[in-house]
Amino acid sequence: SSPPSASSASSPAAAASASVPIEPFDPAKIFSPNGVGAGGIPTVFASPPRYIQGRGVSADIGRILALQCRYVSQVAVLATARGHQNSARVISESLHNHNINPLVVTFGGESSVEEAEHVTRSIEKMGGCDVIIGAGGGKCIDAAKMVAHRLEVPSVICPSVASNDAPCSALSIVYNSDHTWRGVEYYPFNPLLVVLDTDVVLTAGERLLVAGMGDAMSTFYEADVCAKSPNGLNAVAARPPRAARALALLCRDTIFEHALAAIRSVREKSVNDSFEAICEANTLLSGVGFESGGLACAHSIAAALTNVPRVEHNFYHGEQVGLGTLTQLALGRDAPELERVSRFFAQIGLPNQFLQVGLDVARDATDVRTVVQAAVQTVYMGYMPVEVTPQSVAEAMARVDEVGRRVTAELGQDAFLALHRK
């Protein structure tokens, strides 16, 4: 079959006929039907057909869609109520100016199955759509992809932040209604377009950009593990191609090189080349890098941390992934890189010890047990080059805090505190 395109439906009503219940898509059935580690698994590179980044590109999305997707007549724009007053309003106006009817659909705040089904029904009641645009943060973007799959229409992603690597991928991180991590939904195809307006992202602020670096910094370390593991698979259940690791390495090196200058750009409220570079690293390089390169310990820890409410409710996904990256380096006994990344996190304001996010590894035995038990159950942990047990993960978390305390004693934590003052 071919990717769903705006021209595949003769009218929005065709999309409206889709029912909410869906058959779960499992890429493993395509690329590794015989199970993890079976012979004959191909390498697969996954990415969106087009990635567009630049200042003011949100205002051009109507023209882009009108030229690239000839038969688009009605587009659902999913955003929060606040988003519809800001960047999403610009998108809707651009659609209207190019004879495309925008449907204003409000996102309720969680990328849950319940929210996706509610939005799907709402769009169906409005006559359906040819394309759905997700305009917002990571959860709004993931919800838009969930809805697009249910309606069997393409998604177009317009991130309002560069705080995560969700925009480019053919999957959604799904949460329960109580905000705990539920799992992952996979889709046959990546978003049709990803359009990142750096003027919009600039207004999101420093902490969100730094959180995106935390998410993106894991990309190389996880891709490296998956590439070297004989059982390592990427997010489409295939072997990672060399291109994925190369992009992941570029992602890491871009962050090391441009992070501080990009932070200055946010503070000065002016887009510079380093800000553009970090937006690309956080969104494109990390997005393609993780999906095609694979995940390992870092995202296992981040998923497990959502089971600790005070962490999940007060810290962004990328901040949690950053701690996961440090844990992975400690678990893999890469002391030089653990030191390097811990020091870098202290410089840019990411947490470099669990105590900074309210988890005392030495004293909070119940919460630590919850985290490590959830983490070791993920398939990604199986790609690590060392034996993984609840005890070894707990010891790695303690090692992260040990190194983090020493680094903080030397460098201080002014950057972290500046981002987390109430």
Side-chain angles (χ1 to χ4, degrees):
S1 62
S2 59
S5 66
S7 61
S8 64
S10 59
S11 70
S17 65
S19 57
V20 168
I22 60 163
E23 182 73 22
F25 177 76
D26 182 3
K29 291 181 179 179
I30 301 175
F31 302 118
S32 53
N34 296 319
V36 175
I41 298 175
T43 61
V44 176
F45 185 83
S47 69
R50 295 285 188 276
Y51 176 87
I52 303 165
Q53 176 180 312
R55 300 188 62 183
V57 291
S58 292
D60 209 27
I61 195 165
R63 185 182 68 85
I64 293 169
L65 270 179
L67 291 174
Q68 288 214 224
C69 310
R70 291 176 53 202
Y71 301 107
V72 171
S73 63
Q74 188 152 281
V75 172
V77 181
L78 182 66
T80 63
R82 182 178 179 182
H84 279 300
Q85 297 173 357
N86 296 295
S87 58
R89 178 179 57 81
V90 174
I91 292 168
S92 294
E93 290 175 352
S94 178
L95 294 170
H96 178 77
N97 291 339
H98 288 84
N99 300 314
I100 300 172
N101 183 41
L103 301 179
V104 174
V105 186
T106 302
F107 174 56
E110 190 56 88
S111 56
S112 64
V113 171
E114 294 80 7
E115 176 68 9
E117 293 179 348
H118 168 71
V119 170
T120 299
R121 286 190 290 265
S122 298
I123 294 173
E124 289 176 335
K125 289 177 182 177
M126 290 187 281
C129 63
D130 300 309
V131 172
I132 180 168
I133 294 177
K139 291 190 174 185
C140 179
I141 287 168
D142 279 343
K145 288 186 279 187
M146 294 171 73
V147 174
H149 185 52
R150 285 156 176 77
L151 290 173
E152 296 184 291
V153 300
S155 63
V156 170
I157 303 303
C158 298
S160 61
V161 297
S163 65
N164 58 80
D165 51 19
C168 292
S169 69
L171 60 85
S172 294
I173 304 301
V174 184
Y175 291 84
N176 295 306
S177 296
D178 64 359
H179 311 299
T180 56
W181 192 79
R182 176 170 176 166
V184 180
E185 255 190 33
Y186 296 93
Y187 311 118
F189 305 105
N190 295 71
L192 182 67
L193 298 172
V194 176
V195 182
L196 188 144
D197 189 330
T198 45
D199 281 337
V200 171
V201 173
L202 185 71
T203 66
E206 182 179 340
R207 184 180 171 189
L208 283 164
L209 188 74
V210 170
M213 296 184 215
D215 199 8
M217 184 58 76
S218 72
T219 308
F220 169 71
Y221 300 109
E222 292 185 293
D224 192 49
V225 162
C226 291
K228 293 175 180 177
S229 168
N231 293 330
L233 300 179
N234 60 22
V236 298
R239 287 291 293 160
R242 292 175 179 82
R245 186 184 180 279
L247 289 174
L249 179 59
L250 177 61
C251 179
R252 185 199 68 176
D253 292 348
T254 297
I255 295 170
F256 276 137
E257 180 180 353
H258 292 281
L260 293 176
I263 290 170
R264 287 196 298 271
S265 177
V266 176
R267 293 173 181 173
E268 295 168 0
K269 295 181 170 54
S270 177
V271 173
N272 62 22
D273 288 343
S274 287
F275 183 80
E276 293 278 1
I278 290 298
C279 286
E280 182 180 328
N282 287 7
T283 310
L284 175 62
L285 299 179
S286 181
V288 174
F290 99 79
E291 186 173 26
S292 296
L295 301 175
C297 174
H299 273 79
S300 299
I301 293 293
L305 284 171
T306 67
N307 293 294
V308 183
R310 64 183 178 280
V311 179
E312 169 61 16
H313 295 162
N314 294 297
F315 294 90
Y316 292 121
H317 172 72
E319 294 168 333
Q320 297 173 43
V321 174
L323 287 168
T325 299
L326 295 173
T327 304
Q328 176 172 318
L329 293 171
L331 186 64
R333 303 184 181 95
D334 191 343
E337 205 67 7
L338 172 60
E339 177 82 15
R340 179 191 188 193
V341 177
S342 184
R343 295 176 74 86
F344 177 71
F345 283 2
Q347 289 179 296
I348 65 174
L350 281 168
N352 68 347
Q353 49 190 301
F354 285 92
L355 192 59
Q356 290 173 313
V357 300
L359 182 61
D360 190 330
V361 174
R363 292 189 174 92
D364 299 338
T366 299
D367 287 333
V368 171
R369 189 179 308 113
T370 297
V371 170
V372 299
Q373 288 179 345
V376 298
Q377 291 173 10
T378 65
V379 66
Y380 312 130
M381 278 294 199
Y383 305 150
M384 290 297 293
V386 297
E387 182 182 3
V388 176
T389 66
Q391 181 179 349
S392 67
V393 174
E395 290 172 353
M397 292 171 66
R399 177 63 177 157
V400 168
D401 276 3
E402 178 187 341
V403 174
R405 284 192 298 271
R406 177 171 51 74
V407 168
T408 299
E410 178 186 347
L411 301 180
Q413 57 177 342
D414 290 349
F416 174 81
L417 293 175
L419 296 182
H420 295 271
R421 290 193 182 103
K422 299 297 183 182

